[in-house]
Amino acid sequence: MDDIYEIQKLLYSYCWLIDAGDFDGLCELLKDADIYYSGKLTYHKDPKGYMNTLKPIVRYEDGTPKTSHMCIDPIIEVAADGLSATAKSYTVVVQGITGQMPPQIIWVDRKLDTFQKVEGRWRFKSRDFITRAEGDTAMHINMSVFARKKKK
């Protein structure tokens, strides 16, 4: 049971870190992980590359993206040897700003994760983001970042 709890903490830590705008912490959390999008390898143990995915996220005056990421229904299976595990879960992202924007769901995805236990500690080995639904991200994605890229 301790293994499952430790893996749950990794899943939930992702949500807390991204909502806090702690992208350096996210890179540390995923430093040993391969990142996939819909089954396609996008970053091979490249947390700084993954960081570039996060840069377009709007960071408000308090340094956060004004989101609440919720890891829902995690199903965790630890291998018989106790050194690897898998997890599948949903992430629902709500964004809102009191007095400016009512809370709304802006993203729903599935995450398929693998983990490995190294020196007694669990860590991400891979994470696959599979988008299920995208809502209005106008207040979440900084479109000026994309406009600058197109001009170059």
Side-chain angles (χ1 to χ4, degrees):
M1 194 59 149
D2 288 340
D3 288 330
I4 290 176
Y5 175 70
E6 291 301 319
I7 292 168
Q8 282 177 327
K9 284 195 330 187
L10 291 173
L11 295 172
Y12 300 148
S13 291
Y14 177 89
C15 296
W16 282 93
L17 288 166
I18 200 163
D19 290 339
D22 185 354
F23 297 155
D24 290 331
L26 279 174
C27 284
E28 180 64 25
L29 184 70
L30 298 172
K31 70 181 179 183
D32 299 309
D34 288 335
I35 303 296
Y36 295 80
Y37 288 94
S38 297
K40 181 182 176 208
L41 178 62
T42 308
Y43 301 104
H44 175 64
K45 294 178 181 45
D46 180 11
K48 294 300 179 190
Y50 177 66
M51 174 76 82
N52 290 331
T53 301
L54 302 175
K55 284 182 180 178
I57 294 174
V58 172
R59 294 176 75 184
Y60 289 88
E61 64 283 347
D62 64 356
T64 73
K66 300 291 188 190
T67 54
S68 295
H69 284 66
M70 295 171 275
C71 177
I72 299 173
D73 299 334
I75 297 174
I76 300 166
E77 296 183 14
V78 178
D81 66 5
L83 297 176
S84 63
T86 60
K88 57 186 175 182
S89 61
Y90 289 97
T91 301
V92 175
V93 182
V94 175
Q95 185 179 38
I97 303 170
T98 301
Q100 297 177 32
M101 176 178 57
Q104 61 181 330
I105 295 173
I106 62 168
W107 206 272
V108 178
D109 69 11
R110 292 179 63 194
K111 292 199 173 63
L112 304 177
D113 299 305
T114 61
F115 302 90
Q116 59 188 15
K117 195 174 196 179
V118 178
E119 298 177 2
R121 298 196 59 155
W122 286 101
R123 62 184 181 189
F124 280 94
K125 183 176 179 184
S126 69
R127 171 157 264 200
D128 192 356
F129 297 82
I130 303 166
T131 299
R132 301 289 286 196
E134 183 179 342
D136 181 359
T137 59
M139 298 295 289
H140 187 58
I141 304 296
N142 185 344
M143 295 310 288
S144 65
V145 172
F146 295 109
R148 284 195 301 269
K149 285 182 182 179
K150 286 181 182 179
K151 288 180 183 177
K152 290 182 179 180

